[in-house]
Amino acid sequence: MNFPVLYLRKGAERRLRAGHLWVYSNEVDTRRSPLTEFEAGTQAELRASNDKPMGTVFVNPHALICGRLISRNAAHGMTPQRLTERVETALALRERLFDKPFYRWVFGDSDGLSGLVIDRFDDVVVVQISTAGMEQMKESIVRAVQRLAHPRAIILKNDGKMRKVEGLDAYVEQAHGPEIDLLAVVENGVRFEVPMEGGQKTGWFYDHRMNRQRLQAYAPGKRVLDVFSYVGGWGIQAACAGATQVTCVDSSTSAIDSVHHNAKINGLDNIETIEGDAFDALKALCEEKEKFDIVVLDPPALIPRRRDQKAGEEAYARLNQLGLRLLDRDGLLVSASCSMHLSQEKLTDIIRSSGRKIDRFVQLLEQGHQAPDHPVVPGIPETDYIKSCFVRSLTGFL
């Protein structure tokens, strides 16, 4: 295939040679290859400043990440066959990992498919495309999913924030099969049903699967507070593992309705809910002198961009301090983060600092990571984003 050429500035190839797959617009030699000459989603050969071929990229001249490496072989573009092979390779890993077909099937760059996420809910598959290059492969993606999994339904939930950055319209489309109102999920032996309309991202967050499983070991006989509960992923699983009482907090009415629905389908009658802003709810519970044995904090990304670092870290500190205040004397704080700009070490330090501010002795028992259906590419730090700390909090101990 004959591709147009995208040239890098001198030295810009180092990060790519070290394992990264992204090209930023300020790394392009726009004198030799003006970005304005490329259409969004086109494929191009990538070359270093010395003319050495680096591979093939999807190009989007309108985005900060203007190039996404498809192949390190300059002769290989993204064809329907190559896309199907990568989707099949991704499926082989998930089938080896999980005995039931509920998982993140494709995790973007980690599976060599930048801009593509596929989540599987048994015989329903939800696809999310976030880049112009992958948008051009839409029909091939649907065909690959049909051939490899024969699902009852395929939904294109292309309404993520990244699409605006890429200059793409937001839409949700039924690509195959009947319309789906509820997504059925089985995780760690617990059943959930998630409404398709208005659901967050693809409808479910498989990334914390192993951390929610860890929580089950601590839950029997305990009173649990699940903050930013969404449809009850942490709280419902804690209740099914033997928690005596669970309170779920979320600002979304539909999420709260789903918590009650999921409690019902699991035969639970010990789930309470609080609808409202998480910080306000936590402050009110502190004022009411409520105490819990376990507090779970799983907020959305509080540091969405690098420039939000300071404000985001302050928000995590306020949140963890409130969570620790609500723990009984020998309580467990499960503090999670999905902000890729917050390291595991920094989260741990925020918890340490929060504990000192309210005179708590804290012990770090476990640290959790993202589930293996969200593999990390060592050369791409952005693929390593989930972290959690299981922290025992003691008052008057030392």
Side-chain angles (χ1 to χ4, degrees), residues 4 7 26 59 69 83 111 134 166 171 184 210 243 258 287 308 333 345 356 389 395:
Y7 288 97
N26 62 1
V59 180
L69 208 63
L83 181 136
D111 289 298
M134 274 299 163
E166 289 273 321
Y171 65 91
M210 303 307 191
S258 290
E287 288 166 5
D308 303 315
L333 176 72
E345 293 73 22
R356 290 310 312 133
C389 294
T395 53

Side-chain angles (χ1 to χ4, degrees), residues 348-380:
T348 304
D349 193 56
I350 286 171
I351 296 167
R352 174 204 59 77
S353 168
S354 299
R356 290 310 312 133
K357 280 183 180 171
I358 62 170
D359 199 24
R360 294 291 179 96
F361 181 79
V362 295
Q363 298 170 323
L364 181 60
L365 307 182
E366 299 188 53
Q367 291 177 303
H369 194 245
Q370 61 214 53
D373 52 351
H374 293 68
V376 171
V377 178
I380 310 177

Side-chain angles (χ1 to χ4, degrees), residues 1 3-4 6 21-24 28 35 38-46 55-61 63 65-71 76-80 83 86 109 112-116 129 131-138 141 166:
M1 295 176 73
F3 298 115
L6 186 71
L21 301 178
W22 299 352
V23 177
Y24 290 95
V28 174
L35 280 169
F38 293 86
E39 289 185 16
T42 195
Q43 299 184 39
E45 180 187 338
L46 185 67
T56 315
V57 290
F58 277 134
V59 180
N60 188 340
I65 303 170
C66 68
R68 294 171 182 269
L69 208 63
I70 301 165
S71 172
H76 291 170
M78 183 60 75
T79 63
L83 181 136
R86 291 189 185 177
D109 293 283
L113 293 162
S114 191
L116 177 64
I129 297 168
T131 61
M134 274 299 163
E135 184 73 16
Q136 300 214 358
M137 305 296 296
K138 181 171 75 170
I141 293 166
E166 289 273 321

